[in-house]
């Protein structure tokens, strides 16, 4: 692609000619702007500037070797301006003998001139020629270019060759010609430099979805599904992960304030404490009720702590916290068991002599506990104590909240890192090379081997 | 978009946390029983806990 300079305004016209090679009709849509035009019947590349349409090159290709997804002559609206698809080319690089091809569409508007659409594996770019040079910083690692205050990182450099052409081109297109292409990215934009001989052309592309292309040109059906991650494809996680972590930090501050508020406002009041003894040898009813104690304040939790002197033994307590006035009861059971010993692996222990339970949503009122202890018969007397505290902050909720806030932030970060990893894996700086499975490769390969095996007649 | 969703999600999480702490929620589950007769205070054995048939661990290593 080469610069053609500003396009003088003119009314859209179409000129019909005949190919000097095969006599087929040729339509010139960009008129004097076209430098070369391709006969789609005999694949002669003709000099569009010459009234006689001198044949510049012939190349061998099947008529339907590569059909444009946007048929030439189709008109569409790009950024509010009507453009007509006038040219189409396939460009290819080879890596380890494997060709990687993408397509470029030449679009023309008589007032705005040319712009281009590129497509690779379902990824599209809306590209136009830069009118001023970007600033190159080759000392950076990777090298960068700056344009209009934005910095673009070097992605890859490769030699690209033209393998198939159709329609009109505002430059001297040839099948088999090659150019060194360097690409610098700042998603969703990419700046490309193409060196052909001593001429360097700079262009800027912006990622555009296939769906938008289809909509712009009113194409039937659906665009091809995009495969993999393309070099300037914007991350679906549009928000910078740094922003997410800043939000996370803000939420942690709020959580800390809630913690301080809860800790300072909670009653955390001991409302009951008593010591008991349970004779496991005794027969008869073991259940009993405690004295009545009052729970004040709003509806809140009640933490019941059981401490027992069990030693290689267990004590199970059927609890019922009963509201003396309403008959509302909270029924639950708790076990205190502690075992320890010594074996070939050394000393061991399991269980605890303490147990704690938080009874949720207990309204204020006068309550008593109905307690029914159980244990194995014949263990003598088990001593235990029961203590109750009212309105105790539940630290487990703070832990769960931190986890709940951390998980999405971590997931977003992981996905973002993974997306960028896939993007840069296909660059000159990627950790994965061409030996990898290329089934989901979306970026262009890093270097070029031999180009084309096209039969070309100059 | 993601940031806004995350902020909204964070507000919901912290709001739920504040409500849970204020209302005294707990991760422990208890069985609520209504209309326990007053006679339980005089005759504790008349109350039948649903946990009385709980299978107790009697092991150790």
């Amino acid at each position: 692609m080469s610069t053609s300079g500003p396009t003088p305004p003119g009314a859209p016209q179409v000129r019909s000619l005949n190919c000097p090679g095969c006599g087929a009709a040729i339509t010139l849509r960009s008129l004097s702007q076209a430098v070369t035009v391709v006969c789609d019947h005999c694949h002669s590349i003709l000099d569009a500037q010459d009234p006689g349409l001198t044949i510049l090159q012939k190349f061998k290709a099947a008529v339907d070797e590569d059909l444009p997804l946007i048929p030439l002559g189709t008109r569409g609206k790009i950024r509010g301006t009507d453009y007509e698809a006038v040219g189409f080319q396939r460009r290819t690089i080879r890596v380890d003998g494997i060709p990687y091809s993408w397509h470029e569409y030449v679009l023309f508007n008589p007032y705005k001139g040319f712009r281009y659409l590129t497509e690779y594996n379902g990824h599209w770019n809306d590209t136009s020629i830069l009118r001023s040079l970007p600033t190159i910083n080759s000392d950076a690692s990777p090298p960068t270019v700056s344009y209009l205050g934005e910095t673009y990182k070097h992605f890859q450099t490769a030699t690209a060759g033209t393998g198939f052409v159709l329609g009109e081109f505002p430059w001297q297109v040839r099948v088999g010609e090659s150019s060194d292409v360097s690409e610098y990215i700042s998603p969703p934009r990419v700046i490309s430099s193409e060196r052909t001989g001593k001429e360097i052309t700079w262009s800027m592309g912006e990622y555009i979805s296939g769906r938008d292309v289809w909509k712009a040109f009113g194409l039937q059906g659906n665009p091809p599904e995009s495969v993999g991650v393309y070099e300037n494809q914007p991350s679906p996680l549009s928000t910078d992960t740094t922003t997410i972590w800043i939000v996370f930090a803000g939420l942690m501050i709020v959580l800390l304030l809630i913690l301080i508020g809860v800790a300072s406002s909670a009653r955390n009041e001991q409302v009951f404490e008593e010591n008991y003894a349970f004779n496991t040898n005794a027969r008869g009813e073991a259940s009993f009720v405690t004295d009545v104690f009052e729970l004040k304040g709003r509806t809140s939790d009640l933490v019941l702590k059981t401490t027992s002197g069990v030693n290689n033994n267990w004590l199970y307590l059927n609890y019922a916290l009963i509201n003396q006035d309403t008959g509302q009861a909270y029924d639950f059971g708790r076990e205190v068991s502690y075992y320890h010993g010594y074996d070939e692996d050394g000393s061991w222990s399991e269980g605890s002599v303490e147990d704690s339970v938080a009874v949720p949503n207990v309204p204020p009122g006068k309550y008593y506990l109905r307690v029914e202890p159980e244990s194995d018969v014949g263990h003598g007397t088990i001593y235990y104590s029961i203590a109750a505290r009212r309105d105790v902050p539940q630290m487990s909720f703070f832990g769960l909240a931190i986890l709940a806030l951390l998980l999405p932030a971590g997931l977003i970060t992981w996905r973002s890192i993974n997306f960028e990893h896939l993007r840069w894996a296909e660059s000159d700086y990627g950790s994965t090379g061409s030996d990898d499975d290329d089934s989901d490769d979306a970026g262009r390969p890093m270097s070029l081997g031999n180009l084309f095996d096209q039969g070309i007649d100059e | 978009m993601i940031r806004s969703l995350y902020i909204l999600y964070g507000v919901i999480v912290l709001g739920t946390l504040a409500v849970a702490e204020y209302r005294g929620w707990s991760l422990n589950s208890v069985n609520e029983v209504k209309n326990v007769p007053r006679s339980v205070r005089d005759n504790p054995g008349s109350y039948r806990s649903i946990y009385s048939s709980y299978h107790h661990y009697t092991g150790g290593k």
Side-chain angles (χ1 to χ4, degrees):
Chain A
M1 164 183 337
S2 64
T3 52
S4 59
T7 305
Q13 293 176 356
V14 173
R15 186 172 137 214
S16 292
L17 302 164
N18 290 97
C19 173
C22 66
I26 290 175
T27 302
L28 266 181
R29 297 182 176 88
S30 55
L31 297 178
S32 61
Q33 299 299 306
V35 174
T36 48
V37 60
V38 182
C39 172
D40 57 7
H41 288 270
C42 68
H43 296 123
S44 295
I45 299 176
L46 311 172
D47 186 352
Q49 301 284 305
D50 177 9
L53 294 178
T54 306
I55 297 175
L56 301 172
Q57 185 190 43
K58 267 191 170 184
F59 64 96
K60 294 173 184 173
V63 172
D64 57 351
E65 177 180 310
D66 209 341
L67 294 175
L69 293 171
I70 306 173
L72 299 189
T74 306
R75 291 185 180 184
K77 196 178 283 278
I78 302 284
R79 299 183 191 279
T81 302
D82 287 322
Y83 283 92
E84 183 173 358
V86 298
F88 170 76
Q89 67 171 338
R90 184 185 68 228
R91 305 183 77 189
T92 304
I93 57 178
R94 283 180 187 271
V95 176
D96 296 335
I98 302 171
Y100 294 86
S101 299
W102 68 98
H103 298 115
E104 295 184 358
Y105 295 82
V106 182
L107 307 180
F108 177 70
N109 174 283
Y111 298 97
K112 299 284 187 179
F114 293 94
R115 70 187 307 124
Y116 308 88
L117 280 176
T118 66
E119 183 270 333
Y120 178 77
N121 268 355
H123 299 276
W124 294 79
N125 266 288
D126 170 27
T127 304
S128 54
I129 302 297
L130 293 184
R131 302 299 182 190
S132 60
L133 286 176
T135 306
I136 305 170
N137 182 4
S138 53
D139 294 332
S141 180
T144 61
V145 298
S146 299
Y147 188 74
L148 297 179
E150 194 166 354
T151 301
Y152 296 74
K153 289 181 183 175
H154 177 253
F155 190 81
Q156 65 181 186
T157 297
T159 305
T162 306
F164 182 80
V165 291
L166 275 181
E168 301 159 42
F169 297 85
W171 72 91
Q172 288 281 353
V173 73
R174 296 287 190 281
V175 167
E177 70 181 356
S178 61
S179 58
D180 296 325
V181 182
S182 292
E183 296 187 322
Y184 302 81
I185 64 166
S186 176
R189 284 176 284 280
V190 55
I191 285 183
S192 303
S193 77
E194 293 204 25
R195 179 193 294 272
T196 307
K198 291 181 178 178
E199 180 185 333
I200 298 178
T201 304
W202 291 88
S203 60
M204 176 184 283
E206 183 163 351
Y207 193 89
I208 181 172
S209 72
R211 192 172 56 254
D212 288 342
V213 172
W214 252 238
K215 187 178 174 185
F217 285 88
L219 299 174
Q220 299 295 315
N222 296 312
E225 288 291 324
S226 58
V227 179
V229 176
Y230 193 58
E231 59 185 12
N232 65 323
Q233 182 179 353
S235 171
L237 304 166
S238 56
T239 304
D240 185 359
T241 53
T242 307
T243 309
I244 291 294
W245 287 106
I246 289 171
V247 173
F248 175 78
L251 293 172
M252 284 298 102
I253 290 171
V254 176
L255 183 139
L256 189 63
L257 293 175
I258 293 173
L259 177 61
I260 292 170
V262 166
S264 59
S265 66
R267 299 177 74 91
N268 201 7
E269 173 189 21
Q270 180 148 314
V271 293
F272 176 82
E273 185 173 23
E274 196 62 69
N275 297 318
Y276 300 97
F278 173 48
N279 185 352
T280 59
N281 299 323
R283 294 173 181 265
E285 182 60 48
S287 61
F288 64 92
V289 292
T290 67
D291 293 337
V292 173
F293 49 89
E294 186 174 6
L295 302 182
K296 297 174 182 173
R298 64 177 191 276
T299 296
S300 183
D301 61 356
L302 180 80
V303 172
L304 203 66
K305 183 178 177 184
T306 309
T307 308
S308 169
V310 288
N311 186 6
N312 283 327
N313 196 7
W314 59 272
L315 174 68
Y316 187 82
L317 297 161
N318 297 301
Y319 280 115
L321 174 68
I322 303 171
N323 187 309
Q324 179 182 248
D325 300 320
T326 64
Q328 170 88 1
Y330 301 88
D331 200 319
F332 52 97
R334 305 300 294 181
E335 180 179 304
V336 182
S337 62
Y338 178 66
Y339 296 89
H340 62 93
Y342 191 87
D343 61 13
E344 64 273 14
D345 296 328
S347 60
W348 59 268
S349 67
E350 65 180 45
S352 171
V353 296
E354 289 182 356
D355 174 75
S356 215
V357 60
V359 183
N361 296 327
V362 183
K366 290 183 177 176
Y367 290 83
Y368 63 91
L369 284 166
R370 185 259 184 193
V371 185
E372 183 180 353
E374 296 177 33
S375 187
D376 286 333
V377 176
H379 277 80
T381 300
I382 300 173
Y383 295 94
Y384 63 99
S385 68
I386 301 171
R389 296 189 79 85
R390 173 67 161 165
D391 193 11
V392 181
Q394 294 297 302
M395 291 302 135
S396 54
F397 284 131
F398 287 92
L400 287 176
I402 291 171
L403 197 63
L405 295 174
L406 198 59
L407 273 177
L411 188 65
I412 290 167
T413 303
W414 178 81
R415 284 195 62 187
S416 177
I417 289 171
N418 191 45
F419 190 89
E420 292 304 318
H421 173 76
L422 290 174
R423 183 202 306 283
W424 285 95
E426 299 304 325
S427 74
D428 288 354
Y429 312 94
S431 55
T432 58
S434 56
D435 292 340
D436 290 349
D437 181 6
D438 291 311
S439 59
D440 61 348
D441 285 353
R444 296 174 191 168
M446 293 182 283
S447 60
L448 175 74
N450 296 322
L451 279 175
F452 306 96
D453 300 324
Q454 302 279 346
I456 297 170
D457 300 326
E458 288 285 355
Chain B
M1 181 63 178
I2 293 280
R3 188 189 67 165
S4 302
L5 283 176
Y6 184 58
I7 290 173
L8 178 66
Y9 170 77
V11 168
I12 291 171
V13 167
L14 294 182
T16 306
L17 168 68
V19 170
E21 290 293 344
Y22 183 81
R23 296 288 299 171
W25 294 358
S26 165
L27 296 176
N28 299 117
S29 66
V30 298
N31 182 49
E32 287 193 35
V33 182
K34 294 190 183 299
N35 301 319
V36 174
R38 288 175 180 270
S39 59
V40 168
R41 247 199 104 55
D42 301 320
N43 184 12
S46 65
Y47 183 89
R48 290 267 67 92
S49 167
I50 65 161
Y51 294 97
S52 58
S53 60
Y54 179 82
H55 176 74
H56 309 296
Y57 175 67
T58 56
K61 190 168 180 182

